[in-house]
Amino acid sequence: MASVLVVEDDQFVRSALIRHLSEASHTVRSVGTALEALREVAHVRFDVVILDLGLPDLDGAEALKMLRSITDVPVIIATARDDESEIVRLLNDGADDYLTKPFSVEHLSARMAAVLRRSRAAAGGEAPPPGAIRVGGLSIDPLRRSVELDEAELDLTRREFDLLAFLAGRPGVVVARKELLAEVWQQSYGDDQTIDVHLSWLRRKLGETAARPRYLHTLRGVGVKLQPPADAPAGPQADTPVAEPPA
């Protein structure tokens, strides 16, 4: 599982990459211009950047040079250009790999895995796979995409799992709704009701309510945080009825 920045101005290609990488359990952010990419890497630590060359504001080759001036994050070029001399020049300028469009998701995944192995080895050895995240009686396994509460497995939808896992990775930290939309739903804007509905479904499965929270605490006008209960777990309580989520 890696944190990936997709720099691609074609909305169709961009959406497809976000979907497939998210389905592979990667955390994905995306931008459509070189300047947005520079702002992102200046403020967020990514494991790999997938960079298109045909960007509207700046040629990708120039964007690569500017990226290399501020970060050593691995960069995979993904473009329709296939001139050998340009490929060699980009690799010499700091690209870690190069993919010519069209390419399969499997091909991209294999190249990403190879780049990440080299990057982690250079940083001091392979990073171990992420283990279970434990918050109180909650145990969240990112690899198996499974959740246990007090040793009983919970039946969560994909979106419920993603939301809970994201919050559990920052226990006790208030996460703004805008960040949840960007990181969990991959949307720069949206309706807060979407988050509220999924939080309601999660609370039902965690045996709590918004009025009597155990793990999920909402700070009105600020955001949401996940933290372990201060006392012994209480018995299951019914939340306000909401339509069940799609599988």
Side-chain angles (χ1 to χ4, degrees), residues 6-21 28-32 50-55 78-80 99-105 108:
V6 173
V7 187
E8 170 65 65
D9 68 319
D10 186 307
Q11 190 59 50
F12 177 79
V13 176
R14 187 171 164 183
S15 297
L17 286 173
I18 292 171
R19 182 174 68 254
H20 291 302
L21 289 170
V28 188
R29 293 173 73 103
S30 67
V31 294
I50 300 172
L51 175 66
D52 179 43
L53 293 183
L55 300 173
T79 182
L99 276 172
T100 303
K101 298 177 182 175
F103 51 80
S104 67
V105 178
L108 173 60

Side-chain angles (χ1 to χ4, degrees), residues 15-93:
S15 297
L17 286 173
I18 292 171
R19 182 174 68 254
H20 291 302
L21 289 170
S22 297
E23 288 173 352
S25 298
H26 298 299
T27 301
V28 188
R29 293 173 73 103
S30 67
V31 294
T33 68
L35 292 180
E36 288 176 309
L38 291 168
R39 282 196 292 267
E40 285 289 315
V41 299
H43 294 94
V44 180
R45 176 65 185 177
F46 294 97
D47 295 314
V48 63
V49 173
I50 300 172
L51 175 66
D52 179 43
L53 293 183
L55 300 173
D57 59 336
L58 190 67
D59 185 78
E62 292 302 314
L64 173 65
K65 292 179 181 177
M66 295 177 73
L67 283 170
R68 276 291 161 261
S69 69
I70 60 174
T71 179
D72 60 354
V73 61
V75 177
I76 299 176
I77 303 294
T79 182
R81 304 178 194 176
D82 59 0
D83 180 72
E84 183 176 353
S85 62
E86 183 172 25
I87 294 174
V88 171
R89 178 169 56 83
L90 287 164
L91 292 172
N92 286 333
D93 284 344

